[in-house]
Amino acid sequence: MGNIRKRVIVFRIFLIVSCFMGSFACSAQENDPISIYLIGDSTMADYSDNYEPGKDYMETRYPITGWGQVFQPLFTKESLGSLTSFIKCDSVVVQDRARGGRSTRTFFQEGRWRAVYEVLKPNDLVLMQFGHNDAAKTKPERYVDIEGYKEFLRLFVSQTRQKGAIPIILTPVPRNYPWENGVLNDVHGEYDLAPKEVASELGVALIDLNALTRAEFTKKGKAYVSENYFMNLPLGVYKAYPEGEDDNTHFQVEGAKVVAQIVFDALTELSKEIISPKPYTIATTYAKLKKEYPQIRPVTPLENPKSITVNNIPYRETAQQTLLADVFIPNSGKTEYGAVLLIHGGGWISGSKENLKPLAQRLSENGYVAVSVNYSLSTQAEFPAAVIDLKEAVKWMRAHSKEFKIDPDRIAILGASAGAQLATLVGMSSSDPLFFDGNKKFSDKVQGIINIDGITSFIHPEAQESEIAGKWLGGLKDENYKNWKLASALEYVDKNSPPIVFINSSQDRFHAGRDDMIQQMEAYQIYTEVHTLKQSPHSFWLMHPWFEPTLEYCLRFLNRIW
């Protein structure tokens, strides 16, 4: 199928990197089958399975074939070995609920989605592919505008997750036009872009079926695709179409099989991404964002920093690794400075301290000792290991305060994305016995929290974390609710909580629980700030033009609380 790997788009708390996790088991017993529900339109539908009750498919519809109709045979015992990251069962049952002529709205209004929702089990998959009928302005009974289209996709995703099942969004499969210079081009426009935006917004796995299929069809050529893949039929060959057919939307059997294989191969690539997640770096973030934000530039470390830098100092030994810290000390001649512990993001599964080196350098140049650390990722140890690591880092800073010129009474903690969730939890759970590592000599208390686009709660109604969080928290929310609650910083707010600043993107899903936390802290008369960078993506702190405002908000907050 060509270089499928390069074209599968995986969106996640940041990297989806990270969508499905290998720790998920079958819903009841290890050999119970997982159901894969297909919801969508006629290009996905199964015409052979009582599609029109009382009518013989071979007599009245053949050779029209939805790709979902030929999907089940791809799931053999042998092929399931390539999907073990999220299917731990001996068998898979494809439940094709797609229906011709349906948009997201009509699929919902007719109760078709409810029929799926009511039978969903934890770890089932829901593949959703709409767009053809949503875009049909000339058919008002089907048509859904872009915002409505996106809203129904959000509904399907959120309700799938409510059941502990795994949503996967597909862009609409292409039509057999327009062809230009031997290349099949996109016909769906904003109805192709909208699913990508929803997937990015909600951290959902996305299969870019439109792009993948167009690339495959282009390789075969217009003449072959038109004759063998789409429903362009000659006179007198098929009983159901005695006059022939001129249809460049629906598939014949061969075309449906090709698309089904593309979807299966894309699922396989998603599984591989989980086993070996892509690196989350400044460079990979720039590569991901530059198409949508062509004006951006990646931040880079300072070539000649004014601060004193000490790299890769061991601060903690775990069973899996030696955890390291980079320390940046102002070079202004003072004997003591306030300090900031920096925690990188990456969905608890990837990333490194190097991502925050530019920010650490700039904080140091502005008079703060900056300590950027690595911690146990979900591939190395589940919750609460990372939290304990970071509390140990705070204690380590106090233990070495004279060496690094740190004022032990002025230590703040800063995190970005998943690092912000961790920073907020560490900051709000001072001295909590759940996270105690036996070191009584030094305190883990911090005097300020800088939350850069991270959630404060996994269980808040606004929270949309699912598969990637489940890897770190030992299962999905329905499977391990206790850990989901224990990892939610919002649960720890009290009169002794430190002041906090939120620096947020325009992506609402990364702010879950924030407003409730602020309300609680205001009731205790604890200082809070909120800043939102308009029209900014997640990971904005790694890119210009948002890096400088982020730095400025951090400095203003630190200067205010100290």
Side-chain angles (χ1 to χ4, degrees):
M1 292 301 151
N3 194 348
I4 298 286
R5 186 178 187 82
K6 293 183 179 179
R7 291 179 175 270
V8 175
I9 302 175
V10 186
F11 294 99
R12 94 247 203 246
I13 251 184
F14 177 77
L15 192 55
I16 294 188
V17 44
S18 28
C19 276
F20 315 127
M21 299 305 155
S23 61
F24 299 160
C26 292
S27 55
Q29 300 177 4
E30 276 301 310
N31 56 359
D32 282 352
I34 285 290
S35 291
I36 299 180
Y37 289 90
L38 308 181
I39 64 171
D41 55 39
S42 56
T43 60
M44 183 194 248
D46 184 348
Y47 295 90
S48 67
D49 185 21
N50 201 31
Y51 188 82
E52 294 178 296
K55 295 185 178 180
D56 186 334
Y57 163 65
M58 297 302 295
E59 296 283 332
T60 62
R61 300 301 296 263
Y62 182 81
I64 192 171
T65 308
W67 66 260
Q69 184 173 331
V70 291
F71 200 41
Q72 179 72 69
L74 298 176
F75 294 90
T76 65
K77 286 187 177 181
E78 292 75 19
S79 69
L80 284 175
S82 65
L83 302 171
T84 53
S85 288
F86 56 97
I87 294 179
K88 294 286 187 180
C89 305
D90 294 335
S91 61
V92 162
V93 176
V94 174
Q95 304 275 0
D96 192 345
R97 304 297 181 87
R99 197 73 176 180
R102 271 58 181 186
S103 61
T104 52
R105 174 177 58 81
T106 58
F107 197 87
F108 176 80
Q109 288 176 333
E110 294 174 4
R112 297 181 184 278
W113 169 244
R114 174 175 287 278
V116 173
Y117 174 77
E118 288 178 344
V119 296
L120 273 179
K121 307 184 305 295
N123 307 313
D124 285 344
L125 276 65
V126 178
L127 276 62
M128 51 193 79
Q129 178 222 287
F130 292 92
H132 278 249
N133 297 300
D134 296 78
K137 286 187 177 181
T138 59
K139 298 178 180 179
E141 71 279 6
R142 305 178 182 181
Y143 173 68
V144 187
D145 65 19
I146 283 293
E147 288 308 312
Y149 176 43
K150 293 167 72 174
E151 196 61 32
F152 279 110
L153 288 176
R154 292 185 186 107
L155 174 68
F156 299 154
V157 167
S158 65
Q159 292 195 341
T160 297
R161 285 174 163 171
Q162 285 174 12
K163 288 297 195 79
I166 300 169
I168 303 173
I169 296 177
L170 283 64
T171 54
V173 74
R175 301 182 193 271
N176 192 33
Y177 57 84
W179 287 83
E180 296 179 6
N181 300 318
V183 175
L184 178 57
N185 290 307
D186 173 49
V187 75
H188 296 298
E190 58 184 349
Y191 284 83
D192 173 66
L193 179 61
K196 299 174 185 177
E197 293 175 342
V198 172
S200 179
E201 171 194 335
L202 301 183
V204 184
L206 177 88
I207 294 175
D208 194 349
L209 188 57
N210 187 11
L212 291 168
T213 306
R214 286 190 289 109
E216 186 63 25
F217 286 9
T218 294
K219 287 193 299 184
K220 298 297 289 188
K222 181 180 179 180
Y224 186 89
V225 167
S226 298
E227 180 179 352
N228 297 283
Y229 288 179
F230 285 92
M231 286 284 290
N232 296 299
L233 309 178
L235 293 170
V237 173
Y238 296 100
K239 189 171 184 178
Y241 304 92
E243 303 299 321
E245 188 75 358
D246 183 14
D247 179 351
N248 285 294
T249 295
H250 300 98
F251 301 117
Q252 298 183 54
V253 176
E254 185 178 349
K257 286 183 176 180
V258 169
V259 176
Q261 187 67 56
I262 289 171
V263 175
F264 183 86
D265 291 345
L267 286 175
T268 300
E269 291 304 316
L270 291 178
S271 183
K272 290 178 182 177
E273 292 290 348
I274 296 155
I275 297 171
S276 302
K278 289 182 179 179
Y280 173 39
T281 67
I282 295 172
T284 59
T285 301
Y286 174 65
K288 176 183 177 181
L289 294 177
K290 66 181 180 180
K291 183 176 181 180
E292 188 174 355
Y293 300 90
Q295 80 280 12
I296 65 174
R297 291 180 296 109
V299 300
T300 56
L302 298 172
E303 293 184 2
N304 298 299
K306 300 175 184 177
S307 57
I308 300 167
T309 303
V310 187
N311 291 320
N312 297 320
I313 310 171
Y315 79 88
R316 175 171 167 79
E317 293 284 344
T318 73
Q320 295 80 22
Q321 63 187 319
T322 299
L323 295 172
L324 304 175
D326 296 337
V327 182
F328 305 84
I329 307 169
N331 194 18
S332 61
K334 292 184 180 181
T335 58
E336 198 173 66
Y337 304 91
V340 183
L341 175 64
L342 290 85
I343 307 171
H344 68 81
W348 308 277
I349 196 172
S350 63
S352 72
K353 57 186 171 61
E354 283 69 32
N355 288 354
L356 293 182
K357 183 176 181 178
L359 184 56
Q361 288 178 322
R362 297 293 295 277
L363 288 171
S364 181
E365 286 195 343
N366 281 275
Y368 296 95
V369 176
V371 179
S372 183
V373 298
N374 286 334
Y375 54 89
S376 298
L377 300 174
S378 61
T379 53
Q380 298 155 341
E382 293 181 354
F383 172 86
V387 185
I388 295 172
D389 293 342
L390 296 168
K391 285 180 174 286
E392 179 65 17
V394 175
K395 295 178 182 181
W396 179 82
M397 290 169 67
R398 286 198 166 94
H400 295 270
S401 58
K402 289 184 179 180
E403 179 182 350
F404 300 134
K405 299 185 177 182
I406 293 172
D407 180 348
D409 296 322
R410 290 190 297 150
I411 296 178
I413 190 166
L414 175 156
S417 189
Q421 177 274 323
L422 284 164
T424 309
L425 178 57
V426 169
M428 292 293 175
S429 63
S430 175
S431 302
D432 192 288
L434 174 67
F435 309 120
F436 181 59
D437 66 348
N439 182 354
K440 297 180 179 180
K441 189 173 181 179
F442 298 98
S443 170
D444 63 9
K445 184 174 179 60
V446 299
Q447 285 68 52
I449 301 171
I450 299 174
N451 179 311
I452 303 178
D453 225 29
I455 66 170
T456 70
S457 176
F458 289 100
I459 61 172
H460 191 275
E462 297 170 348
Q464 298 174 4
E465 302 304 325
S466 187
E467 297 84 19
I468 190 170
K471 174 64 175 177
W472 183 52
L473 295 172
L476 293 172
K477 183 165 63 175
D478 291 343
E479 298 168 325
N480 201 341
Y481 182 83
K482 178 182 177 181
N483 275 1
W484 286 60
K485 184 175 182 178
L486 289 172
S488 298
L490 183 59
E491 304 298 311
Y492 298 83
V493 176
D494 63 22
K495 64 181 181 180
N496 298 313
S497 295
I500 186 169
V501 59
F502 294 93
I503 306 171
N504 290 137
S505 69
S506 56
Q507 311 298 312
D508 289 342
R509 68 175 292 255
F510 298 102
H511 315 156
R514 179 196 66 189
D515 295 343
D516 280 5
M517 177 171 281
I518 290 171
Q519 185 178 13
Q520 290 184 30
M521 295 186 70
E522 287 178 346
Y524 290 118
Q525 297 184 330
I526 301 170
Y527 182 72
T528 64
E529 290 182 18
V530 178
H531 304 282
T532 301
L533 297 170
K534 295 182 179 179
Q535 298 181 333
S536 61
H538 191 54
S539 295
F540 60 84
W541 57 93
L542 301 179
M543 298 292 134
H544 296 295
W546 302 292
F547 175 80
E548 290 294 340
T550 301
L551 173 66
E552 184 62 28
Y553 289 137
C554 292
L555 293 172
R556 287 183 190 176
F557 174 73
L558 293 170
N559 292 339
R560 182 181 181 98
I561 64 174
W562 292 333

